[in-house]
């Protein structure tokens, strides 16, 4: 690739590809969004990086206030880091330390879901649930109670809630926190569940004093139709992890939001403080990019446009559902998935054949096993989305036929 703009990648040989998967799902606003570029250019001339320790700076402080104002009510505190995995590491360590400092020293177990993906650092892998990626590192991981994932249909949702309820009843006083990808388990193969499930998980956590960590690294920033997925459930998690779309997809940057109650648990004495930091925590360029992205969300009606595209995606998926080899389709917000075969097996190659065929026709549609999915920029023009869906149709016909 030599350049990228909007939903389009340009290759060295001059060809272009529609970025159907938003470059690892980060490109919420399309590549090089003018508001993000402008904010970055201005910040770069002023201050590229400083330690966020003891001193603070305007982009970081103002961004924290903006995020707190936009987040589900009660998430008032912001901890910056630099990617999705670290946003989750921060949440895990904060939850653990918070419970310990309350005197709940037995609360050291995290509940994770089968199919979960929270990043590639060891803590994030510990709460992961995709064996292809995670099983090899078993001896290095901390203990979790892994429960059945919410999967993709009503039966799975109920079974998952029953499994969670069972673990919480048996081991409630050992549980530090439950970690969930609200509404969509991305890496599991875009498996979707209704807001009601998130609401019930919140209730179950409350019933035993476990914290709820919502990993909105993928689903945050408009991807599911609302700015944050938890909004649809009317749920405020205790900790919420943001990255990817936070900068519109321009820079590695992350924020972990916390409630006042969580924050308070770290006050009062020096040895209660949260010893966690990366060199680039609170990086001013990341903050500036996030300001540019939030300006776009606030001033350009990005969510309204995404809603219109979501309806078009729904119609496109209905066509794809009729193709040979397609077992089902599903959609939440501007995430669409086409199931070829029955599970998202990473080893299977039908998804890769679709990928290759789509590349030849001008689209980047990197699959998750045998799930071909669409996570385009929320700002993708209607015509480009139409072309993407046509290319996908041709590629599926070619790969399956
Ligand atoms: N959480 C979720 C839900 C994700 O989808 C991802 C990345 N795909 C991560 C965490 C990790 O983010 P990063 O790759 O930026 O570390």
């Amino acid at each position: 690739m030599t350049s990228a703009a909007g939903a389009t990648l340009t290759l060295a040989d001059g060809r272009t590809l529609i970025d159907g998967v938003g470059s690892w799902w980060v490109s919420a606003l399309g590549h090089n969004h003018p508001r993000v570029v402008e904010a970055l250019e201005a910040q770069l001339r002023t201050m590229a990086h400083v330690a966020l320790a003891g001193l603070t700076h305007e982009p970081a402080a103002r961004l924290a206030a903006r995020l707190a104002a936009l987040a589900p009510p009660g998430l008032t505190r912001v901890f910056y880091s630099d990617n999705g995995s670290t946003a989750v590491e921060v949440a895990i360590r904060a939850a653990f330390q918070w419970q310990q400092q309350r005197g709940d020293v037995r609360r050291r177990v995290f509940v994770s879901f089968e199919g979960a993906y929270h990043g590639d650092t060891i803590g994030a892998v510990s709460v992961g649930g995709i064996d292809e990626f995670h099983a090899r590192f078993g001896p290095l991981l901390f203990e979790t109670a892994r429960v059945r994932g919410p999967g993709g249909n009503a039966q799975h949702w109920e079974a998952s809630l029953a499994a969670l309820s069972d673990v919480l009843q048996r081991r409630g006083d050992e549980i530090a926190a439950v970690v969930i990808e609200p509404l969509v388990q991305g890496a599991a193969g875009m498996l979707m569940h209704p807001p009601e499930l998130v609401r019930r998980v919140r209730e179950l956590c409350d019933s035993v004093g476990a914290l709820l960590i919502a990993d909105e690294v993928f689903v945050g920033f408009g991807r599911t139709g609302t700015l944050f997925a938890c909004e649809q459930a009317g749920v405020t998690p205790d900790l919420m992890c943001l990255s990817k779309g936070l900068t519109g997809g321009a820079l590695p940057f992350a924020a972990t939001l916390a409630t006042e109650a969580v924050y308070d648990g770290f006050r009062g004495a020096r040895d209660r403080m949260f010893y966690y930091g990366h060199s680039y925590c609170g990086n001013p360029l990341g903050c500036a990019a996030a300001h540019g992205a939030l300006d776009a969300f606030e001033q350009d009606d990005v969510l309204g446009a995404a809603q219109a595209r979501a309806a078009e995606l729904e119609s496109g998926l209905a066509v794809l559902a009729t193709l040979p080899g397609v077992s089902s389709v599903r959609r939440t917000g501007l995430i669409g998935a086409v199931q070829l075969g029955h599970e998202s097996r990473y080893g299977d190659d039908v998804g890769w054949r679709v990928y290759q065929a789509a590349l030849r026709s001008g689209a980047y549609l990197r699959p998750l096993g045998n799930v071909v999915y669409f996570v385009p920029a929320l700002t993708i023009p209607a015509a480009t989305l139409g072309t993407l869906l046509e290319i996908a149709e041709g590629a599926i016909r070619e790969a399956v036929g």
Side-chain angles (χ1 to χ4, degrees), residues 24-25 83-86 88 117-120 181 186-187 215 217-218 243-244:
W24 292 138
W25 326 339
N83 59 69
S85 306
T86 56
V88 173
Y117 181 84
H118 298 289
D120 270 342
E181 291 162 85
D215 176 354
V217 166
F218 166 43
S243 187
K244 295 196 191 270

mmCIF file of all heavy atoms in Angstrom, residues 24-25 83-86 88 117-120 181 186-187 215 217-218 243-244, ligand 1:
data_model
loop_
_atom_site.group_PDB
_atom_site.id
_atom_site.type_symbol
_atom_site.label_atom_id
_atom_site.label_comp_id
_atom_site.label_asym_id
_atom_site.label_seq_id
_atom_site.Cartn_x
_atom_site.Cartn_y
_atom_site.Cartn_z
ATOM 1 N N TRP A 24 -8.187 -3.845 10.461
ATOM 2 C CA TRP A 24 -8.305 -4.403 11.826
ATOM 3 C C TRP A 24 -9.361 -3.662 12.650
ATOM 4 O O TRP A 24 -9.190 -3.495 13.859
ATOM 5 C CB TRP A 24 -7.006 -4.388 12.613
ATOM 6 C CG TRP A 24 -5.881 -5.274 12.179
ATOM 7 C CD1 TRP A 24 -4.564 -4.934 12.128
ATOM 8 C CD2 TRP A 24 -5.930 -6.653 11.806
ATOM 9 N NE1 TRP A 24 -3.805 -5.994 11.734
ATOM 10 C CE2 TRP A 24 -4.613 -7.064 11.515
ATOM 11 C CE3 TRP A 24 -6.961 -7.587 11.663
ATOM 12 C CZ2 TRP A 24 -4.294 -8.356 11.096
ATOM 13 C CZ3 TRP A 24 -6.640 -8.874 11.241
ATOM 14 C CH2 TRP A 24 -5.332 -9.235 10.979
ATOM 15 N N TRP A 25 -10.413 -3.141 11.975
ATOM 16 C CA TRP A 25 -11.571 -2.566 12.665
ATOM 17 C C TRP A 25 -11.289 -1.207 13.309
ATOM 18 O O TRP A 25 -12.077 -0.723 14.106
ATOM 19 C CB TRP A 25 -12.149 -3.519 13.735
ATOM 20 C CG TRP A 25 -12.072 -4.981 13.401
ATOM 21 C CD1 TRP A 25 -11.935 -5.520 12.154
ATOM 22 C CD2 TRP A 25 -12.133 -6.093 14.282
ATOM 23 N NE1 TRP A 25 -11.899 -6.885 12.204
ATOM 24 C CE2 TRP A 25 -12.010 -7.274 13.516
ATOM 25 C CE3 TRP A 25 -12.279 -6.214 15.646
ATOM 26 C CZ2 TRP A 25 -12.020 -8.552 14.064
ATOM 27 C CZ3 TRP A 25 -12.295 -7.500 16.201
ATOM 28 C CH2 TRP A 25 -12.166 -8.643 15.419
ATOM 29 N N ASN A 83 -2.957 0.966 23.379
ATOM 30 C CA ASN A 83 -3.606 0.081 22.400
ATOM 31 C C ASN A 83 -4.716 -0.692 23.105
ATOM 32 O O ASN A 83 -4.887 -0.574 24.329
ATOM 33 C CB ASN A 83 -2.607 -0.875 21.724
ATOM 34 C CG ASN A 83 -1.892 -1.756 22.722
ATOM 35 O OD1 ASN A 83 -2.487 -2.637 23.321
ATOM 36 N ND2 ASN A 83 -0.603 -1.494 22.931
ATOM 37 N N GLY A 84 -5.438 -1.488 22.353
ATOM 38 C CA GLY A 84 -6.579 -2.180 22.931
ATOM 39 C C GLY A 84 -6.174 -3.165 24.018
ATOM 40 O O GLY A 84 -6.840 -3.280 25.065
ATOM 41 N N SER A 85 -5.081 -3.880 23.782
ATOM 42 C CA SER A 85 -4.637 -4.863 24.779
ATOM 43 C C SER A 85 -4.292 -4.179 26.098
ATOM 44 O O SER A 85 -4.648 -4.668 27.175
ATOM 45 C CB SER A 85 -3.408 -5.630 24.264
ATOM 46 O OG SER A 85 -3.660 -6.200 23.016
ATOM 47 N N THR A 86 -3.598 -3.050 26.016
ATOM 48 C CA THR A 86 -3.222 -2.384 27.267
ATOM 49 C C THR A 86 -4.445 -1.763 27.943
ATOM 50 O O THR A 86 -4.489 -1.709 29.173
ATOM 51 C CB THR A 86 -2.139 -1.300 27.046
ATOM 52 O OG1 THR A 86 -2.599 -0.357 26.086
ATOM 53 C CG2 THR A 86 -0.829 -1.905 26.601
ATOM 54 N N VAL A 88 -7.200 -3.166 28.169
ATOM 55 C CA VAL A 88 -7.753 -4.292 28.923
ATOM 56 C C VAL A 88 -6.841 -4.647 30.106
ATOM 57 O O VAL A 88 -7.317 -4.920 31.212
ATOM 58 C CB VAL A 88 -7.970 -5.513 27.986
ATOM 59 C CG1 VAL A 88 -8.376 -6.746 28.775
ATOM 60 C CG2 VAL A 88 -9.024 -5.175 26.928
ATOM 61 N N TYR A 117 -12.021 -12.384 22.829
ATOM 62 C CA TYR A 117 -10.690 -11.895 22.438
ATOM 63 C C TYR A 117 -10.524 -10.494 23.009
ATOM 64 O O TYR A 117 -11.315 -9.602 22.720
ATOM 65 C CB TYR A 117 -10.519 -11.859 20.916
ATOM 66 C CG TYR A 117 -9.138 -11.376 20.533
ATOM 67 C CD1 TYR A 117 -8.061 -12.265 20.490
ATOM 68 C CD2 TYR A 117 -8.898 -10.036 20.282
ATOM 69 C CE1 TYR A 117 -6.784 -11.821 20.188
ATOM 70 C CE2 TYR A 117 -7.624 -9.579 19.982
ATOM 71 C CZ TYR A 117 -6.576 -10.478 19.935
ATOM 72 O OH TYR A 117 -5.306 -10.031 19.644
ATOM 73 N N HIS A 118 -9.486 -10.327 23.832
ATOM 74 C CA HIS A 118 -9.277 -9.031 24.470
ATOM 75 C C HIS A 118 -7.884 -8.469 24.214
ATOM 76 O O HIS A 118 -7.510 -7.480 24.841
ATOM 77 C CB HIS A 118 -9.536 -9.137 25.975
ATOM 78 C CG HIS A 118 -10.945 -9.539 26.307
ATOM 79 N ND1 HIS A 118 -12.010 -8.692 26.118
ATOM 80 C CD2 HIS A 118 -11.459 -10.705 26.769
ATOM 81 C CE1 HIS A 118 -13.136 -9.319 26.470
ATOM 82 N NE2 HIS A 118 -12.823 -10.532 26.863
ATOM 83 N N GLY A 119 -7.121 -9.127 23.338
ATOM 84 C CA GLY A 119 -5.795 -8.606 23.031
ATOM 85 C C GLY A 119 -4.740 -9.675 23.198
ATOM 86 O O GLY A 119 -5.030 -10.812 23.592
ATOM 87 N N ASP A 120 -3.504 -9.285 22.918
ATOM 88 C CA ASP A 120 -2.428 -10.273 22.840
ATOM 89 C C ASP A 120 -1.378 -10.152 23.926
ATOM 90 O O ASP A 120 -0.356 -10.840 23.868
ATOM 91 C CB ASP A 120 -1.767 -10.199 21.455
ATOM 92 C CG ASP A 120 -2.470 -11.133 20.479
ATOM 93 O OD1 ASP A 120 -3.190 -12.038 20.954
ATOM 94 O OD2 ASP A 120 -2.299 -10.967 19.261
ATOM 95 N N GLU A 181 -17.201 -8.594 25.873
ATOM 96 C CA GLU A 181 -17.269 -7.764 24.667
ATOM 97 C C GLU A 181 -18.759 -7.513 24.434
ATOM 98 O O GLU A 181 -19.449 -8.395 23.935
ATOM 99 C CB GLU A 181 -16.712 -8.507 23.455
ATOM 100 C CG GLU A 181 -15.225 -8.764 23.456
ATOM 101 C CD GLU A 181 -14.843 -9.869 22.461
ATOM 102 O OE1 GLU A 181 -14.646 -9.585 21.276
ATOM 103 O OE2 GLU A 181 -14.759 -11.044 22.886
ATOM 104 N N GLY A 186 -16.001 -10.037 18.537
ATOM 105 C CA GLY A 186 -15.416 -9.797 17.220
ATOM 106 C C GLY A 186 -14.609 -10.955 16.689
ATOM 107 O O GLY A 186 -14.997 -11.634 15.715
ATOM 108 N N ALA A 187 -13.474 -11.229 17.327
ATOM 109 C CA ALA A 187 -12.554 -12.221 16.783
ATOM 110 C C ALA A 187 -13.151 -13.628 16.779
ATOM 111 O O ALA A 187 -12.710 -14.494 16.022
ATOM 112 C CB ALA A 187 -11.253 -12.193 17.579
ATOM 113 N N ASP A 215 -15.268 -4.484 27.416
ATOM 114 C CA ASP A 215 -14.225 -4.251 26.419
ATOM 115 C C ASP A 215 -14.902 -3.716 25.162
ATOM 116 O O ASP A 215 -15.424 -4.481 24.355
ATOM 117 C CB ASP A 215 -13.475 -5.566 26.163
ATOM 118 C CG ASP A 215 -12.426 -5.413 25.065
ATOM 119 O OD1 ASP A 215 -12.362 -4.341 24.434
ATOM 120 O OD2 ASP A 215 -11.678 -6.384 24.837
ATOM 121 N N VAL A 217 -13.285 -2.038 22.895
ATOM 122 C CA VAL A 217 -12.184 -1.709 21.986
ATOM 123 C C VAL A 217 -12.653 -1.809 20.528
ATOM 124 O O VAL A 217 -12.352 -0.940 19.706
ATOM 125 C CB VAL A 217 -10.980 -2.637 22.255
ATOM 126 C CG1 VAL A 217 -9.948 -2.569 21.136
ATOM 127 C CG2 VAL A 217 -10.343 -2.276 23.600
ATOM 128 N N PHE A 218 -13.416 -2.849 20.231
ATOM 129 C CA PHE A 218 -13.941 -3.005 18.873
ATOM 130 C C PHE A 218 -15.296 -2.319 18.711
ATOM 131 O O PHE A 218 -15.516 -1.565 17.763
ATOM 132 C CB PHE A 218 -14.028 -4.502 18.539
ATOM 133 C CG PHE A 218 -14.843 -4.831 17.313
ATOM 134 C CD1 PHE A 218 -14.730 -4.080 16.145
ATOM 135 C CD2 PHE A 218 -15.712 -5.908 17.324
ATOM 136 C CE1 PHE A 218 -15.481 -4.396 15.012
ATOM 137 C CE2 PHE A 218 -16.466 -6.222 16.196
ATOM 138 C CZ PHE A 218 -16.352 -5.466 15.041
ATOM 139 N N SER A 243 -10.319 1.834 22.413
ATOM 140 C CA SER A 243 -9.121 2.060 21.590
ATOM 141 C C SER A 243 -9.590 2.139 20.144
ATOM 142 O O SER A 243 -10.609 2.780 19.893
ATOM 143 C CB SER A 243 -8.100 0.934 21.822
ATOM 144 O OG SER A 243 -6.890 1.211 21.163
ATOM 145 N N LYS A 244 -8.917 1.490 19.208
ATOM 146 C CA LYS A 244 -9.325 1.455 17.794
ATOM 147 C C LYS A 244 -9.957 2.764 17.316
ATOM 148 O O LYS A 244 -9.246 3.700 16.992
ATOM 149 C CB LYS A 244 -10.245 0.248 17.549
ATOM 150 C CG LYS A 244 -9.513 -1.101 17.755
ATOM 151 C CD LYS A 244 -10.286 -2.247 17.161
ATOM 152 C CE LYS A 244 -9.767 -3.619 17.537
ATOM 153 N NZ LYS A 244 -8.764 -4.167 16.650
HETATM 154 N N1 LIG B 1 -10.285 -6.116 22.609
HETATM 155 C C1 LIG B 1 -11.031 -6.376 21.524
HETATM 156 C C2 LIG B 1 -12.500 -6.621 21.694
HETATM 157 C C3 LIG B 1 -10.437 -6.430 20.267
HETATM 158 O O1 LIG B 1 -11.186 -6.713 19.201
HETATM 159 C C4 LIG B 1 -9.044 -6.183 20.149
HETATM 160 C C5 LIG B 1 -8.322 -6.204 18.816
HETATM 161 N N2 LIG B 1 -8.881 -6.852 17.784
HETATM 162 C C6 LIG B 1 -8.328 -5.918 21.303
HETATM 163 C C7 LIG B 1 -8.974 -5.877 22.524
HETATM 164 C C8 LIG B 1 -6.848 -5.661 21.267
HETATM 165 O O2 LIG B 1 -6.557 -4.447 20.672
HETATM 166 P P1 LIG B 1 -5.087 -4.161 20.122
HETATM 167 O O3 LIG B 1 -4.925 -5.035 18.914
HETATM 168 O O4 LIG B 1 -5.089 -2.707 19.787
HETATM 169 O O5 LIG B 1 -4.127 -4.499 21.191
#
